[in-house]
Amino acid sequence: MSVLYLVRHGQASFGTDDYDRLSDLGKEQSRITGRFLAAQGIEPDRIVHGEMLRQRQTAEGLLEGMGLSMDAHVDSGWNEYAAWELTGVLDDVDPRAKHDSKIFQGELERGAARWASGEHDEDYRETYNQFTSRVDRALDDAVAAMGSGQSTIVVSSAGAIAWTASRLIGGDFDQWMAFNRVTINTGITKIITGQSGTSLISFNDHGHHDPKNATYR
């Protein structure tokens, strides 16, 4: 069997003028996760991340924590959806959403339901169906690139990881949103693949973090 580890990026910079960068805690979360993976005897053959800065910085922290030096592969298929675009087209958005993550989550879920309905596709640069299709392709490519017994670490974001997990258990939009809602920064989702197919083994494992340092944004 081959193993794919999906790692969500570390805590980013919510509430600032540039969300797409890790906070100091996010960088430390990445190093801690790398040390945890190394302690489990995991020696990846490849590491892949999306194009986003927070994803690249997390991959760098993982490698530092694991004590590895290797070139990462960039696959835009693992990019996150445009969350601010989903909320930006809504009427009467709560202005506190820019700085209050709980309020933002509620508005995001309202925007995601509108996005996924398919009734307003002209309002988005990427439709919900286009998003899920590109994540599907990224997963298929990551699996295809592994030889028997190899392992790959993929650094991505909550939406892409949640969709992958939902797809593998035959879930729909509601299942995706339920996973998306609880995905923790640098949580680890484990997938195995072999002759019997590709299967979800565990989702969002975050036992390597002190509970007080568990973050969602």
Side-chain angles (χ1 to χ4, degrees), residues 59-145:
E60 292 170 348
L62 289 175
L63 290 173
E64 180 182 344
M66 298 183 80
L68 297 176
S69 178
M70 58 191 302
D71 293 331
H73 300 266
V74 179
D75 183 348
S76 62
W78 292 109
N79 288 358
E80 185 62 298
Y81 60 89
W84 294 107
E85 183 175 284
L86 269 56
T87 58
V89 299
L90 295 174
D91 295 327
D92 303 320
V93 175
D94 190 325
R96 295 174 298 171
K98 290 185 177 180
H99 302 285
D100 187 311
S101 62
K102 291 183 178 179
I103 293 174
F104 175 75
Q105 183 64 34
E107 297 288 39
L108 177 62
E109 293 188 20
R110 186 162 68 97
R114 181 183 189 274
W115 179 49
S117 73
E119 297 175 2
H120 310 279
D121 284 354
E122 67 279 1
D123 291 344
Y124 307 101
R125 289 173 291 178
E126 180 179 54
T127 68
Y128 174 73
N129 286 336
Q130 289 170 337
F131 163 71
T132 58
S133 293
R134 73 164 165 83
V135 176
D136 285 346
R137 190 273 306 161
L139 173 63
D140 292 344
D141 287 352
V143 168

Side-chain angles (χ1 to χ4, degrees), residues 17-194:
D17 58 358
D18 182 11
Y19 174 70
D20 190 24
R21 55 187 169 85
L22 294 188
S23 66
D24 288 342
L25 175 58
K27 293 175 181 177
E28 181 59 15
Q29 288 170 338
S30 303
R31 291 188 288 265
I32 289 171
T33 304
R35 291 194 289 269
F36 170 77
L37 291 169
Q40 305 306 303
I42 296 169
E43 299 180 358
D45 297 280
R46 301 173 80 238
I47 185 165
V48 181
H49 59 76
E51 295 176 316
M52 295 174 163
L53 177 60
R54 61 188 183 272
Q55 297 169 345
R56 176 173 62 80
Q57 289 178 323
T58 300
E60 292 170 348
L62 289 175
L63 290 173
E64 180 182 344
M66 298 183 80
L68 297 176
S69 178
M70 58 191 302
D71 293 331
H73 300 266
V74 179
D75 183 348
S76 62
W78 292 109
N79 288 358
E80 185 62 298
Y81 60 89
W84 294 107
E85 183 175 284
L86 269 56
T87 58
V89 299
L90 295 174
D91 295 327
D92 303 320
V93 175
D94 190 325
R96 295 174 298 171
K98 290 185 177 180
H99 302 285
D100 187 311
S101 62
K102 291 183 178 179
I103 293 174
F104 175 75
Q105 183 64 34
E107 297 288 39
L108 177 62
E109 293 188 20
R110 186 162 68 97
R114 181 183 189 274
W115 179 49
S117 73
E119 297 175 2
H120 310 279
D121 284 354
E122 67 279 1
D123 291 344
Y124 307 101
R125 289 173 291 178
E126 180 179 54
T127 68
Y128 174 73
N129 286 336
Q130 289 170 337
F131 163 71
T132 58
S133 293
R134 73 164 165 83
V135 176
D136 285 346
R137 190 273 306 161
L139 173 63
D140 292 344
D141 287 352
V143 168
M146 288 192 294
S148 178
Q150 290 190 331
S151 64
T152 297
I153 294 173
V154 172
V155 179
S156 186
S157 296
I161 293 172
W163 173 254
T164 299
S166 181
R167 167 194 168 181
L168 291 175
I169 63 171
D172 56 9
F173 170 81
D174 291 335
Q175 182 63 71
W176 172 67
M177 184 51 65
F179 278 153
N180 196 18
R181 188 180 297 129
V182 299
T183 306
I184 287 179
N185 293 121
T186 63
I188 303 167
T189 294
K190 183 178 180 180
I191 294 166
I192 62 170
T193 183

